[in-house]
Amino acid sequence: MTTTTEVTGGCLCGAVRYSFASGPLARRACWCRDCQYLAAGNATVNLVFRADACTVTGELGEHVGRAESGNTMRRRFCRACGTPMFSQSSGRPEMMVVRAGTLDTPELGRPEGFIWTGSAPSWGLIDESLANCAGQPPAPPQR
């Protein structure tokens, strides 16, 4: 029997809300330089979902740029309060990355591993007991 687990969240001010009809494909902390900018020098904690499972209400702003991987990244944020919310890579457009801080249930964001650890500063905290990847990891399996 297959069960559907809806995952919900939103921005700081509540102007943007989202839901995913299915659970995450992966949960990772990312130490790439772009994420360090987004997380005030730290790693970002992100969940990867199937993009087609997402419903969003509210107005999003967007910044498009090139990621360390070489892919084009679309980063979306709440236009009202600036909360970073989503990312999508040209290399994996079927997947959507969600910032764990936006989850209604933050416990769901517990990372299963760390990526881009080769870009972490010497003081960066990386749990060596979890899966780690120095650069771009393989895509998570589609469910």
Side-chain angles (χ1 to χ4, degrees):
M1 174 171 68
T2 303
T3 58
T4 300
T5 305
E6 182 180 49
V7 176
T8 60
C11 66
L12 179 64
C13 73
V16 175
R17 296 287 305 156
Y18 65 82
S19 66
F20 285 90
S22 58
L25 303 172
R27 295 183 306 260
R28 300 169 172 158
C30 180
W31 275 105
C32 78
R33 284 296 295 144
D34 290 350
C35 282
Q36 291 177 47
Y37 279 99
L38 293 170
N42 209 338
T44 60
V45 179
N46 308 294
L47 290 83
V48 181
F49 291 89
R50 292 181 51 87
D52 62 4
C54 183
T55 302
V56 178
T57 59
E59 189 176 349
L60 292 168
E62 181 174 272
H63 173 75
V64 178
R66 180 124 358 246
E68 207 168 333
S69 65
N71 292 316
T72 299
M73 291 295 293
R74 292 176 56 215
R75 292 182 183 86
R76 287 171 289 190
F77 54 92
C78 172
R79 289 179 83 61
C81 67
T83 300
M85 302 200 57
F86 310 112
S87 292
Q88 274 185 291
S89 169
S90 62
R92 297 178 184 152
E94 72 283 2
M95 296 182 188
M96 181 179 283
V97 174
V98 177
R99 305 290 177 233
T102 66
L103 294 166
D104 288 339
T105 307
E107 198 60 34
L108 293 174
R110 182 186 182 108
E112 300 164 320
F114 292 78
I115 63 174
W116 288 96
T117 57
S119 299
S122 63
W123 51 263
L125 300 177
I126 299 167
D127 186 341
E128 297 296 334
S129 71
L130 299 176
N132 288 291
C133 184
Q136 181 69 34
Q142 296 276 333
R143 294 181 225 166

